Amino acid sequence: MTGTDPWESARERMVATQIAARGVGDEQVLAAMRRVPRHLFVPAEVRGSAYSDYPLPIGHGQTISQPYIVAMMTSLLQIQPDDHLLEIGSGSGYQAAVLGILAREVISIERIPEVAQLARKNLADAGITNVTVVIGDGTLGFPGGAPYDGVLITAATPSIPSPLVEQLAEGGRLVAPVGSRDLQELVRLTRKGHDLTRESFGGVVFVPLLGEHGWK
Ligand code: SAH
């Protein structure tokens, strides 16, 4: 993350053409996307495509999300600097790194131990120190760290797992791709006392959330 990073211009172009041009206007989010070295979160074989406008394979049948989708979901979370966040589905750790730049602290849960280990290594290499990667079934949340100001599910779920709603703080936001295995809708829940407001933000495609409150 220095001025001599040879990938910096690729990142600038990614933010301008894929993210800002499509309507993500939150300057804090754009700044975080300019800062995180995405090439460190993709396998060496596809590093030349790290800043391209699509998801990439990271091994174990999993993917790193498309940059625009990461930016849009981050923006929907409406993160404040003091926020304590929970992410479900670490993958290679890229989204968690973006969250880590914007929030005080992030807990990210990954069910595949080798993938969790990859996320830890990538986050350390990127110099991100406020993200803790936990191995487990994220559909159960992480009660030890609750309540969370924001919860982000980065895998497709048939419905929003109830433990995650329970672990949401007053005023907290939960963003998730909800739907079938093939197509989901991006949904945001916001907690206000005992009420939850629900908003939808269009179609997305994610790998499945596998677990007790996800796909079996
Ligand atoms: N956030 C990632 C994308 C993750 S892809 C990024 O920044 O690119 C979805 C991830 O969710 C996969 O790594 C998958 O193994 C994981 N996953 C699926 N079901 C899960 C569950 N129940 N708990 C935790 N992780 C899960």
Side-chain angles (χ1 to χ4, degrees), residues 144-161:
Y148 301 98
D149 304 300
V151 174
L152 181 57
I153 307 178
T154 65
T157 184
S159 61
I160 295 175

Side-chain angles (χ1 to χ4, degrees), residues 62-65 87 89 91 95 109-112 137-138 154 210:
Q62 306 305 325
T63 54
I64 175 173
S65 299
E87 181 196 29
Q95 170 77 73
I109 311 181
E110 171 56 52
R111 64 178 282 274
I112 303 174
D137 178 2
T154 65
L210 302 174

